[in-house]
Amino acid sequence: MNSVLVLNGPNLRRLGTREPDVYGADTFDDLVALCRETGRRLDLHVDVRQTDDEAEMIGWIHQAADERLPVVLNPAAFTHYSYALRDALAQRTAPLVEVHISNPAAREEFRHTSVVAAVATGTIAGFGLISYVLALQAIAELLAEESRG
Ligand code: DQA
């Protein structure tokens, strides 16, 4: 079974209490359950993690590069300014899907820039927690395509 890392940046553990008008009422535990359930359906082993720490996130990205693991990444605020994260992601050895719960393009101007988008396989934004389901589906399709050669 293929493994996928689902990595979440700062403040995302506070889902459910954090700006529910923007990010919805579901909690981080609900997100973990949704990703695991989607993984079971798609035959993927899904490892969901969250950190508020840029160094820890970069360590996970290095692990993914070394172990050729596909990544679903919500970089949260790191999206908009972390060149260190972008440089780590540029070393990727497997598909990378950038996800956002909200649609950053429809929000404040500073959210319109993603410094990581150019090194991702693609981006899914604006579908609430469904963004993660769509990202895992994309990874499953890409892996199936790869194994067909
Ligand atoms: C976010 C959007 C970012 O602009 C914000 O900093 C987040 C969450 C999203 O999932 O919609 O923390 O990545």
Side-chain angles (χ1 to χ4, degrees):
M1 190 189 285
N2 287 108
S3 290
V4 180
L5 294 185
V6 178
L7 305 181
N8 294 280
N11 297 301
L12 288 169
R13 196 172 290 272
R14 297 182 57 76
L15 282 177
T17 49
R18 173 193 186 197
E19 299 181 86
D21 46 319
V22 178
Y23 299 111
D26 289 331
T27 64
F28 183 72
D29 286 348
D30 294 331
L31 172 64
V32 173
L34 177 66
C35 290
R36 288 194 184 141
E37 182 193 311
T38 305
R40 275 194 293 277
R41 184 165 58 77
L42 297 170
D43 209 23
L44 295 171
H45 176 263
V46 174
D47 183 353
V48 187
R49 304 179 191 175
Q50 188 277 331
T51 184
D52 294 334
D53 183 289
E54 191 179 30
E56 185 169 36
M57 177 65 87
I58 288 170
W60 292 341
I61 302 293
H62 292 165
Q63 180 198 350
D66 291 345
E67 297 178 16
R68 301 193 164 278
L69 296 173
V71 173
V72 171
L73 172 66
N74 186 342
F78 293 150
T79 309
H80 312 301
Y81 67 88
S82 178
Y83 298 120
L85 183 60
R86 183 212 148 99
D87 285 352
L89 293 166
Q91 301 167 50
R92 72 180 173 81
T93 51
L96 165 68
V97 182
E98 176 186 351
V99 298
H100 299 283
I101 297 166
S102 66
N103 177 2
R107 300 180 62 197
E108 304 95 319
E109 193 142 356
F110 77 90
R111 297 186 203 275
H112 298 182
T113 298
S114 167
V115 301
V116 305
V119 294
T121 311
T123 301
I124 297 170
F127 297 95
L129 298 192
I130 305 291
S131 293
Y132 291 77
V133 174
L134 298 173
L136 287 165
Q137 276 169 1
I139 299 265
E141 293 286 347
L142 291 170
L143 292 174
E145 200 170 82
E146 219 175 84
S147 73
R148 283 194 294 269

